[in-house]
Amino acid sequence: MQETLAYSLPGAANALPRTDPLAEMLAELNRGRPPLARLRHDATIAFGPAMRVERFVLGNGLKVLVLVDGSAPVVCLQTWFGVGSRHERIGKTGIAHLFEHLMFGETESVAHGAFDRMLEEAGAETNAATFLDWTYYHTNLPKDALELTLRLEAERMARLVLRDPQVSSEKEVVANERRQRVDDDVDGSVSELLYKEAFRKHAYGWPTIGWMEDIKGFTTEDCVEFYRTYYAPNNAALVLVGDVALDQALRGVQDHYGAQEPSKVPVEDVSPEPPQTEERRAEVAKPTATHKVAIGYRSPALGDFDHAPLVLLNEILFGGRSSRVHRALVQEQEIASEVRGWVGSFRDPALYDIYLSARGEHTGQALLDALEPLLEAVRRAPVTEAELDRAKARIELSVLQGLETVAGKAEQIGFYETVLGDPAALFERLAAYRRVTVGDLLRAARRYLVSSARTVIHVIPDGSSDEDDAEETDAESEEAS
């Protein structure tokens, strides 16, 4: 829930008006600044019971979210761009991910390779990630390296150098990454096929890394157009969490980002996925020692009411060794070596992914046949209150553990700001989990665990793995589970 600053009227005619520290600070910061560099305060947002996120907007549209946390002399700076693979078009898939690589290259004033070196010398560490709905860049740094980090981040947002042979070199790096993580990786290739089969219209159907022919076909002109369109202050959220002085941090943002011009971000044109009315199946042969099966049931968008119940239902079914599916398929029937499930956390409706790996000579169909009664049980009758309470406790513990570091806080703020427009939505999620009833889980199971609306990928061994591989796979999977 957002709380805007209150401007109180004096209680009596002769009372002095109350001053607003933020208003005074902004007046000082904005004095003499051009319009693009002027900051306005947008909201004060509760982030849990004791912390607050202050959201500001620069004149060029850059959102700046600051959470002051002086518990340690460290800072996390993250830049979240509202662009991911869903914003691409057919024939140009993977360009959002390519930029994750290009952004660590040369800028107009920083030589190739100097970005990482300068931050490492200052004691900072940096990385990036791209997914369906977003791209973000994060740096963990000592507090005295903030000015340097702001300068470097602003530099690559506005003055990245895009030319050959650097673009061609990064294309080859991404092509090799695709070969290793998708083409030559069983899990990667199966996940890609699952989404390709499940989504016929929506952009979630193509992989974040892109199709190989698209990666090889990018031109420097494609990259320049993408950069000028999406890497702009009005398509970004700058997240600062840690031991910072608010006025000094905002002054640094104005100094380094205030001259950047906004871009004209195109209206998003993503086709909704039509309802699926028949089960889709595919079979692939892979270098695996045992049979595997991947299942994609339809799932609600992150902001939908049913998302929290489905996450809790998944925790009951797949959350650890005491979960229903693990107990039945791994411990009791001993037909599976690994079982897992995950509900997609995306802006649009996506998939509830289920992955099963067989033990020994058992087939994927045997795994499906053993799984179906477990799913039918949660469709037919409510789970127990004790199971729901355990699931809630596990989910809440996981969420709170993720907030122990400044980087964890920054990631949650940036993610929810980008996907849902609310940097504190994580705490609304926690409240939603607490409100879920066994009846909510029963409804979610009947609505989403529908066989006619699922996609199933059977993976069969192609004969290239030996028995030693199988034993190692079983041992590793049992340990991981």
Side-chain angles (χ1 to χ4, degrees):
M1 185 175 74
Q2 297 183 355
E3 301 173 358
T4 56
L5 287 176
Y7 293 84
S8 300
L9 294 173
N14 61 351
L16 292 175
R18 292 177 59 185
T19 59
D20 181 345
L22 278 180
E24 291 183 345
M25 180 189 68
L26 288 178
E28 178 64 27
L29 289 172
N30 288 332
R31 186 172 292 116
R33 297 278 187 179
L36 291 180
R38 293 178 63 85
L39 279 165
R40 66 175 174 85
H41 183 252
D42 185 61
T44 298
I45 304 160
F47 191 78
M51 295 178 286
R52 297 292 184 270
V53 174
E54 301 292 351
R55 180 163 58 195
F56 303 87
V57 181
L58 210 58
N60 57 18
L62 177 69
K63 289 181 287 186
V64 185
L65 299 103
V66 185
L67 188 154
V68 177
D69 179 0
S71 57
V74 294
V75 177
C76 182
L77 173 65
Q78 298 186 353
T79 307
W80 288 74
F81 290 94
V83 61
S85 58
R86 65 175 291 149
H87 299 91
E88 300 162 349
R89 63 182 188 272
I90 295 174
K92 301 295 181 182
T93 65
I95 194 167
H97 172 259
L98 174 62
F99 258 85
E100 180 191 319
H101 291 254
L102 292 171
M103 285 285 281
F104 288 89
E106 179 185 358
T107 69
E108 293 177 8
S109 63
V110 179
H112 183 77
F115 181 91
D116 282 338
R117 186 180 67 251
M118 294 169 71
L119 288 174
E120 288 172 2
E121 290 173 351
E125 57 181 13
T126 184
N127 213 324
T130 308
F131 209 19
L132 307 184
D133 298 322
W134 44 259
T135 302
Y136 86 108
Y137 301 84
H138 61 98
T139 305
N140 298 322
L141 56 136
K143 59 183 296 186
D144 57 5
L146 179 58
E147 182 72 16
L148 170 67
T149 307
L150 285 171
R151 176 172 68 82
L152 293 174
E153 287 290 354
E155 172 77 12
R156 67 175 175 174
M157 182 188 287
R159 290 178 287 277
L160 188 68
V161 173
L162 295 168
R163 62 189 177 201
D164 281 329
Q166 289 88 344
V167 169
S168 295
S169 175
E170 291 303 328
K171 283 167 54 179
E172 187 54 38
V173 170
V174 173
N176 284 330
E177 182 181 342
R178 180 184 165 83
R179 293 184 188 102
Q180 294 172 6
R181 296 188 178 184
V182 180
D183 299 341
D184 298 333
D185 182 81
V186 175
D187 286 359
S189 61
V190 170
S191 177
E192 179 177 278
L193 179 58
L194 178 67
Y195 276 74
K196 179 177 180 289
E197 291 297 318
F199 292 97
R200 303 290 174 83
K201 292 290 186 181
H202 196 284
Y204 288 167
W206 57 69
T208 300
I209 200 168
W211 303 119
M212 183 66 85
E213 58 269 28
D214 292 350
I215 296 170
K216 292 182 175 180
F218 290 134
T219 66
T220 300
E221 290 73 22
D222 291 331
C223 295
V224 170
E225 178 187 2
F226 186 87
Y227 179 65
R228 290 176 176 170
T229 300
Y230 292 106
Y231 276 71
N234 55 316
N235 196 43
L238 193 69
V239 181
L240 266 170
V241 177
D243 190 8
V244 298
L246 184 59
D247 58 341
Q248 293 178 15
L250 293 176
R251 184 176 291 110
V253 171
Q254 289 179 299
D255 291 344
H256 296 295
Y257 292 87
Q260 296 186 15
E261 296 281 347
S263 72
K264 186 176 181 180
V265 180
V267 175
E268 187 177 356
D269 184 18
V270 174
S271 300
E273 186 66 22
Q276 182 177 338
T277 58
E278 293 183 352
E279 182 185 77
R280 299 169 186 168
R281 290 203 177 203
E283 184 178 286
V284 291
K286 292 289 180 181
T288 174
T290 64
H291 290 252
K292 305 177 188 298
V293 62
I295 311 161
Y297 288 96
R298 297 294 166 180
S299 71
L302 177 63
D304 289 354
F305 182 85
D306 279 338
H307 195 273
L310 194 59
V311 168
L312 288 168
L313 181 62
N314 175 69
E315 185 67 25
I316 290 169
L317 290 170
F318 291 95
R321 293 177 178 271
S322 62
S323 65
R324 289 191 179 192
V325 177
H326 191 280
R327 288 202 318 269
L329 271 60
V330 177
Q331 300 172 28
E332 297 169 3
Q333 301 178 39
E334 296 185 344
I335 66 170
S337 60
E338 181 183 8
V339 298
R340 64 177 186 260
W342 179 68
V343 180
S345 298
F346 305 126
R347 179 175 296 168
D348 288 349
L351 293 184
Y352 173 18
D353 298 5
I354 293 174
Y355 180 88
L356 310 172
S357 182
R359 184 187 297 274
E361 298 299 319
H362 294 285
T363 66
Q365 188 57 50
L367 293 174
L368 275 178
D369 292 343
L371 176 66
E372 181 53 36
L374 303 175
L375 301 185
E376 175 58 28
V378 295
R379 288 191 297 256
R380 183 180 64 252
V383 303
T384 67
E385 292 284 355
E387 285 180 302
L388 179 55
D389 289 343
R390 283 196 299 270
K392 289 180 178 180
R394 285 173 60 94
I395 293 291
E396 183 164 348
L397 177 62
S398 175
V399 169
L400 296 178
Q401 285 177 335
L403 297 176
E404 291 178 348
T405 64
V406 293
K409 296 182 185 76
E411 185 168 331
Q412 295 303 320
I413 290 169
F415 171 77
Y416 282 103
E417 172 69 24
T418 304
V419 178
L420 295 182
D422 180 359
L426 175 67
F427 292 94
E428 294 182 3
R429 295 277 300 172
L430 281 174
Y433 289 135
R434 294 173 186 137
R435 291 192 299 267
V436 169
T437 67
V438 293
D440 292 329
L441 267 63
L442 186 61
R443 183 192 66 254
R446 291 171 176 173
R447 179 173 294 178
Y448 295 101
L449 298 181
V450 179
S451 297
S452 60
R454 72 182 182 184
T455 302
V456 180
I457 308 297
H458 283 279
V459 184
I460 61 174
D462 66 2
S464 62
S465 287
D466 56 30
E467 290 300 319
D468 291 337
D469 291 337
E471 292 174 3
E472 290 179 9
T473 300
D474 281 354
E476 291 171 359
S477 299
E478 182 70 21
E479 182 178 353
S481 300

